[in-house]
Amino acid sequence: WLANAKDWAISRERYWGTPLPVWQTEDGTERVVVGSVEELKERTKKSGNRYFVMRHGQAESNAQNLFDSSDDGKYPLTEVGRKEVLARAQALKGEGITRIISSPFTRARETAELMAGELGISAELVAVDDRLRELDFGAFAGMGTKDAYMAFRDAHAYDHPLPEGESYQEAKRRFGRALYEIDRTYGDEVLLIVTHGLGSEVLPAIAEGADRARSKELMHACLPTGGAYELSFVPLPHNDDYELDLHRPYIDDVVLLSDSGKEMKRVKEVMDVWFDSGAMPFAQDHYPFENKAWLDSKGFPADYICEAIDQTRGWFYTLLAVGVLMGKGHAYKNVICLGHILDETGIKMSKSKGNIVEPMGAMDRYSADTLRLWMYSVNQPGDSKNFDDTTVKESARVLSWFENSVKFYELFRDGDKGGKEQVIDVWMRTRVSETIAKATEALDAYDLYTAARAISGLIEDLSQWYVRRVRDRVREGDSAAITTLSDTIQAISVLLAPFTPFIAEWAYQIVRESNDAESVHLADWYEAGTVDAALIENMASTRVLASEALRMRQAKGIKVRQPLASLSIPGTLPKELKELLMEEVNVKAIHEKAEVMELATELTPELVREGDIREFMRALADARKEKGLEPRDKVFLTLEKTTEEVFTGVELGGVSEITFADASEYSAELSTGKIGFSLRLDAS
């Protein structure tokens, strides 16, 4: 595609867009391309005026530390103020001031008259402009409350008005209108603007074309009474708030001068928006006016770019083109190219076909994290994705497994009764290390699919195997199991953070310790520990054997809660995994090295009795849950008399005392038939 790329016409005949920075004379014989605001200022047709800004001398209101917004008090200059003005006049005598424009307030007009007398300027060259008046202090006017005023001003935005008064943004607008009108009215003059401290605060922001944040910074450069400075001013394209705005229509009003002195106006075209996209690496850092060293070293090229496949001739291309034009070559090192999202049958979504999926509705239904994980894990990024409810639900199920595991931990995390680490804890930790290694390697290679699938597999192992196997240990406060569960959840939250940021943060905050990073998105990436490949392989074999044995039970119609005598398996397992398999399949013994897998299904009276007890324990747990009892709550239990022989000598967790009498609140299915039982809370 690059070899056959056509010429790129980067201009467009549209109104909106980045204005083409080209000015030319009416006859087209002279043309310039402007490369900066400074160059724009240099070539702008100017009035030839120079400007000095002066604050009035000390007035009675200043001496009394009062705010005066209206001039109703007609506060005149003090003797100190008159001396300040005369001293300033002497300092400015050599500047050739030709005209004075003043605020209408008494203290400003007196200052202007004194300055005119000392500088030899006639009265007709002294004018008053109401727009140069003092700030409307509102509720602060007439009061000596400077500290309260300053605190209010500093705490609020530039456009926030004073109580019952004016905002600095409003004052900036009227001063801006005055300054630009003065510059249009006069030419080749040296003008002295006599105003208040307000003028020295807003006029530099107007001349700079400062935005609100910068304008507020400049508020702190207030002149002392009698102070003055020269204001460097060249008209700039600006919006109604007198902020620099290089877009249309403001830029079209700027008239430049050619090298021969002819007027030049901007051509009507704007830049192709894709040129903006290609210039992004430079424009985002205001290159070359700022951050040049950064972009010339580490800031270019980018590590990767990610967009849909149609950007091959869009952003992917324009970044390359502008990078080459700038002499820096390729703008990115890696590309993640995304396929399009289609409907569930593989057809392109279209409103006319009625097969579109509203993004916000889909997020409300599945959650944003679910949709993210689905896009990462359903297939490779570059492949098109059919928005199929079935596959989306698979991702929802994975996150639901993780959520349930976290909630289970949260319920029992305070348990601390000791406990020795068991083989399943060691396996869980090595599975975490294995997944960290796989996900890290995949992400370093920009292989998001492999990383997402590896993390999803770890979540499934956590929920569907580890949590299920250690549930009783955690409930009993086994610290080894609780710690392993906490560490695993934290590791998964970090692994998930780039993929599903919301559930990752939620889980991380539940397991986070005081010395951990404040957020999962500020945490360090995990380093993979030692991986016990043999344990992972043996545990996988154990799970396969368990699954097959449970299938055999189901085929025979024997419930899992019914203990069986033995299970014969081909091959061998380590002792700890053999014991785990016995618990999972609920058999009394494992016979190894058998030719085929075989489950002993003969039931002895002892096995039947044990199965009845397990079946009852399940029914009891359901009854407790229905009554809303917590695991720590103990109960008194009444069983039907017919079960006295079965339950004599049996200890049931969470039961204070067992009695035998008529009972029918709940029921359980034993081998001898349905039996009734009742329970009530042990209030002690």
Side-chain angles (χ1 to χ4, degrees), residues 13 309 427 508:
E13 292 184 356
I309 193 167
W427 168 81
Y508 180 84

Side-chain angles (χ1 to χ4, degrees), residues 523-580:
D524 290 336
W525 188 257
Y526 270 70
E527 294 287 338
T530 303
V531 177
D532 188 339
L535 176 56
I536 291 174
E537 183 179 354
N538 284 330
M539 185 64 81
S541 298
T542 301
R543 295 177 70 178
V544 170
L545 292 169
S547 179
E548 179 60 19
L550 293 173
R551 187 194 63 77
M552 295 169 69
R553 270 182 169 274
Q554 187 178 28
K556 293 285 187 179
I558 303 173
K559 295 179 180 179
V560 178
R561 283 179 289 276
Q562 173 60 60
L564 296 176
S566 65
L567 173 68
S568 299
I569 61 171
T572 61
L573 287 174
K575 179 176 178 294
E576 297 92 341
L577 295 184
K578 190 166 70 170
E579 292 172 352
L580 189 151

Side-chain angles (χ1 to χ4, degrees), residues 261-554:
K262 292 181 179 179
E263 288 191 357
M264 296 188 296
K265 294 187 177 180
R266 198 189 71 82
V267 298
K268 63 182 180 181
E269 288 83 7
V270 298
M271 301 291 288
D272 174 23
V273 293
W274 288 104
F275 182 86
D276 287 2
S277 76
M280 179 276 294
F282 305 98
Q284 69 174 355
D285 288 322
H286 199 207
Y287 181 91
F289 308 104
E290 296 179 81
N291 307 305
K292 188 175 187 301
W294 152 253
L295 200 126
D296 287 343
S297 56
K298 295 182 179 179
F300 190 97
D303 288 329
Y304 77 97
I305 185 173
C306 173
E307 256 296 350
I309 193 167
D310 52 309
Q311 294 301 337
T312 299
R313 59 177 183 171
W315 197 24
F316 296 160
Y317 171 64
T318 60
L319 284 168
L320 286 174
V322 175
V324 170
L325 287 170
M326 291 292 291
K328 292 185 176 296
H330 58 84
Y332 44 86
K333 302 173 187 176
N334 300 277
V335 179
I336 302 175
C337 192
L338 307 178
H340 291 136
I341 298 179
L342 310 176
D343 72 8
E344 61 182 4
T345 64
I347 304 298
K348 182 179 178 180
M349 292 187 188
S350 168
K351 286 186 177 180
S352 62
K353 294 179 182 177
N355 63 342
I356 64 169
V357 175
E358 291 287 350
M360 298 306 295
M363 282 189 279
D364 289 341
R365 181 178 178 187
Y366 298 107
S367 86
D369 277 349
T370 294
L371 295 180
R372 281 189 175 95
L373 185 61
W374 171 75
M375 291 180 190
Y376 287 124
S377 61
V378 68
N379 59 18
Q380 292 287 354
D383 295 335
S384 295
K385 292 161 177 55
N386 294 3
F387 197 81
D388 183 357
D389 187 72
T390 302
T391 59
V392 177
K393 284 182 177 178
E394 288 177 7
S395 295
R397 183 167 62 249
V398 170
L399 294 184
S400 177
W401 285 338
F402 183 54
E403 181 181 3
N404 291 338
S405 298
V406 176
K407 288 180 176 178
F408 176 71
Y409 163 79
E410 189 176 22
L411 192 61
F412 299 101
R413 63 182 170 186
D414 295 329
D416 187 17
K417 294 184 179 179
K420 185 178 179 181
E421 191 172 66
Q422 298 182 20
V423 66
I424 196 164
D425 304 320
V426 178
W427 168 81
M428 189 72 259
R429 292 185 182 279
T430 201
R431 274 288 290 121
V432 170
S433 292
E434 180 188 43
T435 305
I436 291 171
K438 286 183 177 179
T440 302
E441 181 181 10
L443 288 174
D444 284 346
Y446 296 90
D447 181 0
L448 308 178
Y449 173 78
T450 298
R453 298 294 289 188
I455 298 167
S456 295
L458 178 62
I459 292 173
E460 182 175 2
D461 282 353
L462 169 69
S463 170
Q464 301 303 294
W465 188 243
Y466 182 74
V467 170
R468 190 162 63 77
R469 292 301 314 156
V470 302
R471 184 174 281 114
D472 291 340
R473 289 173 57 201
V474 171
R475 285 171 173 162
E476 293 165 5
D478 186 310
S479 57
I482 293 172
T483 300
T484 301
L485 182 56
S486 172
D487 292 347
T488 302
I489 290 171
Q490 186 164 19
I492 291 176
S493 69
V494 172
L495 292 174
L496 277 178
F499 300 91
T500 56
F502 298 119
I503 194 171
E505 181 69 14
W506 168 76
Y508 180 84
Q509 292 302 331
I510 289 174
V511 298
R512 172 177 170 260
E513 300 290 342
S514 59
N515 59 339
D516 291 330
E518 183 179 356
S519 165
V520 70
H521 304 296
L522 300 176
D524 290 336
W525 188 257
Y526 270 70
E527 294 287 338
T530 303
V531 177
D532 188 339
L535 176 56
I536 291 174
E537 183 179 354
N538 284 330
M539 185 64 81
S541 298
T542 301
R543 295 177 70 178
V544 170
L545 292 169
S547 179
E548 179 60 19
L550 293 173
R551 187 194 63 77
M552 295 169 69
R553 270 182 169 274
Q554 187 178 28

Side-chain angles (χ1 to χ4, degrees), residues 559 561-562 608 611-620 643 647 666-677:
K559 295 179 180 179
R561 283 179 289 276
Q562 173 60 60
V608 170
D612 283 344
I613 293 170
R614 289 200 178 194
E615 185 66 37
F616 175 75
M617 289 173 68
R618 182 200 61 78
L620 177 61
T643 58
F647 287 93
Y666 299 101
S667 65
E669 192 72 42
L670 271 54
S671 60
T672 54
K674 187 176 291 186
I675 60 105
F677 66 96

